[in-house]
């Protein structure tokens, strides 16, 4: 086997990139890049009924968006292609024929109904269901009779008897299976396409894959793949099986779980940053040394150590992802944050798609007000609602502020001062708030809170002079007049 580390991410083109699949791709990428190795993308498309048009492109597009690069694939090429399994059928046939010639595989003519009846009978006897080997040693006459009936055979591998399969898992240590746990399993389906475990073993060997990192649901597949390696006297790759990802209730993350968004596309569309997701997903089942949690991609490549892959399930915490994304947004330049948030204001109908330069500048200032608290791009719509409301409904906390006896005096004085301004800028607005303090003697919360609540409808929010500036003199005047008329009623 080559000394160069070679890993593969091998998705089926069945739809969008799931968090769990993204983690598999990401761990393989980090493992290979840390070792100066190669990443191969192989498309496992033999289950044609499940394939979705555009599924392959979607997978690759969102891997790229996340920041995962690879060295060989169907689009990039490479010396071990083709990289789609359906384009490798002739390759598999060569190895099937060899197993048949050596008596290590055979044709099985059992129908799905016969197999199901056999399975039910075994379960009724309290036995673990597995293929009985009924067609293991058919005579030429039996084969001819089945062929005359028009039966299409599958091809099964002969599982060795009394054989122990042990592999040292990168994550879990030694794992052992007995060959008696398995019946002879199908390597080629009745329609002529190879099964997953057979094709994967052939591909991994021919593509010189040295390490296979994948989800724990594949543990039971490993001995089957080892059987193929052993049949051809090949050295198997090193296997590592990552733990499950659980939801907050510590149940297995299911695609039917609506509480957690599970596809990378959804996070991109909501305005999450790819480097935040890359960072977050890396910590789902892997931990660095120390307490630090925010890392660049280059840092993660440098420090990634497979020995620190967790043996306990990872819990997907949406609140932590929002926190982490907020850290990245706060550290981003404003142009990037605007690019992230502005489309959501347009989509919500708050801003026009073909904005004037003046409107675009206003929108940029508006978004900058919320950069520190923005968790993801789409959140800007809710955060900035006060700037697009015609009327404000004051909640209980706001009404409590407005009921202060000093409020009418503070608001009247502030309104008068605003209308005396030559230039309606945040700096001048700030000066006028201070001027109200001098004129009325009211300060602190008794001064700032009535102004904030009356102009924005909120008891807390962004920098007040900036918010008032963006609201504009006309809107602020209407809101102040509205509050004053209600107080005087």
């Amino acid at each position: 086997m080559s000394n160069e580390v070679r890993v593969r991410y091998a998705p089926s083109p069945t739809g969008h990139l799931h968090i769990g699949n993204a983690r598999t791709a990401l761990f393989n990428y980090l493992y290979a890049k840390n070792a100066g190795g190669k990443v191969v993308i192989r498309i496992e498309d033999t289950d044609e009924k499940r394939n979705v048009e555009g599924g392959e492109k979607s997978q690759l597009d969102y891997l790229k968006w996340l920041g995962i690069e690879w060295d060989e694939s169907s689009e990039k090429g490479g010396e071990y292609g083709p990289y789609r399994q359906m384009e490798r059928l002739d390759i598999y046939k060569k190895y099937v024929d060899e197993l048949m010639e050596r008596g290590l595989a055979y044709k099985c003519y059992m129908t799905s109904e016969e197999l199901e009846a056999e399975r039910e009978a075994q379960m009724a006897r309290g036995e673990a269901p597995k293929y009985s080997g009924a067609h293991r040693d058919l005579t030429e006459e039996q084969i001819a009779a089945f062929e005359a009936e028009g039966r299409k055979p599958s091809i099964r591998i002969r599982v060795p008897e009394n054989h122990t399969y042990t592999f040292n898992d990168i994550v879990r240590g030694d794992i052992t299976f007995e060959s008696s746990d398995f019946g002879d399993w199908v390597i080629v389906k009745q329609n002529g396409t190879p099964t997953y475990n057979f094709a994967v073993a052939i591909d991994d060997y021919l593509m010189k894959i040295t390490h296979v990192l994948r989800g724990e649901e594949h543990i039971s597949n490993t001995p089957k793949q080892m059987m193929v390696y052993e049949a051809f006297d090949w050295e198997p790759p090193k296997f590592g099986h990552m733990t499950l990802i659980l939801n907050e209730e510590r149940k297995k993350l299911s695609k039917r779980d609506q509480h957690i968004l599970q596809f990378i596309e959804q996070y991109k569309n909501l305005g999450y940053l790819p480097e935040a997701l890359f960072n977050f997903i890396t910590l789902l089942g892997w931990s660095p040394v120390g307490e630090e949690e925010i890392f660049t991609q280059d840092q993660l490549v440098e420090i990634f150590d497979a020995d620190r892959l967790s043996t306990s399930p990872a819990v997907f915490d949406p609140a932590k992802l929002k926190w982490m994304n907020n850290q990245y947004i706060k550290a981003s330049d404003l142009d990037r944050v605007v690019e992230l948030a502005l489309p959501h204001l347009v989509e919500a109908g708050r801003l026009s798609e073909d904005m004037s330069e003046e409107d675009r500048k206003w929108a940029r200032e508006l978004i900058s007000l919320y950069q520190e608290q923005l968790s993801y791009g789409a959140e800007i719509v809710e955060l900035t609602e006060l700037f697009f409301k015609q009327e404000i409904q004051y909640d209980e906390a706001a009404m409590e502020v407005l009921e202060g006896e000093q409020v009418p005096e503070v608001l009247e004085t502030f309104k008068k001062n605003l209308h005396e301004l030559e230039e309606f800028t945040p700096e001048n607005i700030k000066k006028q708030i201070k001027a109200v303090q001098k004129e009325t003697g009211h300060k602190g919360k008794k001064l700032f809170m009535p102004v904030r609540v009356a102009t924005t409808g909120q008891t807390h929010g962004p920098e007040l002079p900036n918010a008032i500036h963006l609201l504009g003199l006309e809107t602020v005047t209407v809101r102040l007049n509205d509050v004053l008329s209600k107080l005087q009623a």
Side-chain angles (χ1 to χ4, degrees):
M1 189 176 283
S2 165
N3 289 325
E4 178 185 57
V5 168
R6 287 177 59 82
V7 305
R8 48 77 166 177
Y9 171 61
S12 299
T14 53
H16 306 296
L17 181 59
H18 185 261
I19 286 282
N21 294 336
R23 182 183 70 164
T24 297
L26 199 152
F27 283 172
N28 277 284
Y29 168 84
L30 290 172
Y31 189 90
K33 293 308 171 186
N34 175 270
K38 295 282 199 311
V39 179
V40 177
I41 300 285
R42 183 175 71 228
I43 304 299
E44 298 186 342
D45 56 353
T46 55
D47 192 350
E48 294 184 286
K49 289 178 184 173
R50 295 180 63 232
N51 296 345
V52 172
E53 188 176 347
E56 178 183 334
K57 184 178 186 303
S58 175
Q59 288 267 344
L60 299 184
D61 285 350
Y62 286 100
L63 285 177
K64 284 177 188 168
W65 180 79
L66 265 181
I68 296 173
E69 292 292 336
W70 50 90
D71 302 285
E72 300 169 29
S73 69
S74 54
E75 52 165 16
K76 275 196 170 185
E79 59 183 302
Y80 301 105
Y83 292 93
R84 294 188 186 97
Q85 287 187 330
M86 287 303 287
E87 295 171 7
R88 299 173 61 82
L89 296 182
D90 289 346
I91 296 171
Y92 306 131
K93 185 177 185 307
K94 169 190 165 188
Y95 291 98
V96 171
D97 290 346
E98 182 182 331
L99 291 178
M100 293 283 286
E101 286 166 18
R102 292 167 56 201
L104 298 178
Y106 61 92
K107 291 180 179 179
C108 171
Y109 290 87
M110 288 186 76
T111 64
S112 56
E113 290 79 13
E114 289 168 340
L115 290 167
E116 183 57 34
E118 180 180 89
R119 177 185 172 85
E120 286 178 3
Q122 288 170 336
M123 292 172 71
R125 295 193 297 268
E127 300 171 7
K130 64 181 180 182
Y131 177 63
S132 65
H135 286 195
R136 209 171 203 251
D137 299 299
L138 294 174
T139 65
E140 290 297 325
E141 291 78 11
Q142 287 173 312
I143 290 172
F146 285 135
E147 295 276 355
E149 283 181 37
R151 293 198 187 196
K152 297 281 187 190
S154 60
I155 297 176
R156 293 180 182 270
I157 194 168
R158 290 184 191 275
V159 174
E161 294 178 10
N162 304 315
H163 194 87
T164 299
Y165 294 92
T166 298
F167 63 97
N168 184 258
D169 191 280
I170 293 170
V171 180
R172 298 154 189 275
D174 286 345
I175 297 178
T176 297
F177 289 89
E178 298 299 328
S179 61
S180 56
D181 297 337
F182 302 88
D184 295 345
W185 50 278
V186 175
I187 60 173
V188 180
K189 292 179 273 192
Q190 288 177 332
N191 64 6
T193 57
T195 58
Y196 169 79
N197 282 308
F198 183 72
V200 160
I202 301 296
D203 290 342
D204 284 347
Y205 173 74
L206 294 179
M207 292 180 181
K208 300 191 183 302
I209 301 303
T210 61
H211 296 77
V212 174
L213 292 175
R214 56 192 180 186
E216 69 173 26
E217 66 274 14
H218 288 285
I219 290 176
S220 60
N221 289 324
T222 307
K224 290 184 176 181
Q225 291 161 26
M226 291 175 73
M227 289 175 200
V228 178
Y229 272 82
E230 195 173 83
F232 292 108
D233 199 24
W234 295 338
E235 183 185 347
K238 184 86 171 156
F239 295 101
H241 294 89
M242 297 166 290
T243 56
L244 294 171
I245 300 176
L246 307 180
N247 63 21
E248 293 165 292
E249 295 167 357
R250 303 194 74 82
K251 293 179 181 173
K252 182 181 176 183
L253 195 60
S254 160
K255 289 180 183 179
R256 293 184 295 277
D257 189 344
Q258 299 298 310
H259 176 61
I260 293 175
L261 299 177
Q262 295 187 41
F263 297 97
I264 301 302
E265 181 179 3
Q266 293 172 303
Y267 288 100
K268 178 179 184 289
N269 292 343
L270 278 172
Y272 278 78
L273 290 167
E275 56 268 41
L277 267 177
F278 190 104
N279 191 158
F280 176 78
I281 294 170
T282 301
L283 301 181
L284 287 174
W286 177 83
S287 59
V289 175
E291 301 298 316
E292 183 59 52
E293 292 188 294
I294 304 293
F295 299 96
T296 66
Q297 185 168 323
D298 288 344
Q299 286 172 327
L300 288 169
V301 166
E302 187 180 338
I303 66 175
F304 188 79
D305 178 359
D307 288 343
R308 297 192 65 80
L309 286 166
S310 176
T311 56
S312 302
V315 177
F316 190 103
D317 183 351
K320 183 174 180 179
L321 174 54
K322 282 174 71 173
W323 169 82
M324 188 171 282
N325 202 58
N326 171 252
Q327 302 305 301
Y328 278 88
I329 286 177
K330 286 195 288 192
S332 295
D333 64 64
L334 180 57
D335 285 340
R336 190 163 187 219
V337 180
V338 170
E339 186 184 323
L340 210 62
L342 188 57
H344 296 283
L345 289 170
V346 172
E347 189 183 344
R350 299 280 170 84
L351 295 169
S352 168
E353 208 162 335
D354 47 348
M355 276 173 274
S356 66
E357 276 306 305
E358 190 179 339
D359 286 345
R360 193 168 288 277
K361 186 184 173 192
W362 182 86
R364 179 183 168 83
E365 288 181 37
L366 177 66
I367 293 166
S368 75
L369 272 189
Y370 291 93
Q371 180 172 353
E372 286 293 305
Q373 67 189 98
L374 195 64
S375 296
Y376 55 93
E379 200 176 41
I380 197 70
V381 176
E382 184 181 348
L383 288 174
T384 59
E385 193 176 7
L386 73 95
F387 291 89
F388 301 96
K389 279 182 173 181
Q390 292 301 313
E391 282 187 39
I392 295 177
Q393 300 297 320
Y394 297 100
D395 62 19
E396 195 175 326
M399 286 307 301
E400 193 175 324
V401 170
L402 295 177
E403 284 165 3
E405 60 180 359
Q406 86 289 4
V407 171
E409 183 185 11
V410 166
L411 297 186
E412 285 285 8
T413 308
F414 182 58
K415 184 179 74 166
K416 170 181 71 70
N417 289 1
L418 286 185
H419 281 269
E420 289 172 0
L421 284 177
E422 289 184 15
E423 238 187 316
F424 196 73
T425 64
E427 295 78 16
N428 288 341
I429 293 165
K430 189 174 184 179
K431 287 175 185 174
Q432 292 312 314
I433 295 174
K434 287 183 178 177
V436 173
Q437 179 182 331
K438 284 184 182 177
E439 289 181 49
T440 65
H442 301 299
K443 58 185 178 181
K445 283 189 175 181
K446 289 193 169 186
L447 168 63
F448 292 102
M449 286 299 282
V451 172
R452 179 177 290 283
V453 169
T455 56
T456 70
Q458 299 177 343
T459 52
H460 59 274
E463 194 71 29
L464 185 55
N466 299 67
I468 291 171
H469 168 248
L470 287 174
L471 281 165
L473 181 59
E474 186 180 335
T475 298
V476 168
T477 302
V478 167
R479 290 182 179 182
L480 288 170
N481 284 337
D482 184 52
V483 171
L484 285 165
S485 65
K486 284 176 181 172
L487 293 177
Q488 291 159 7

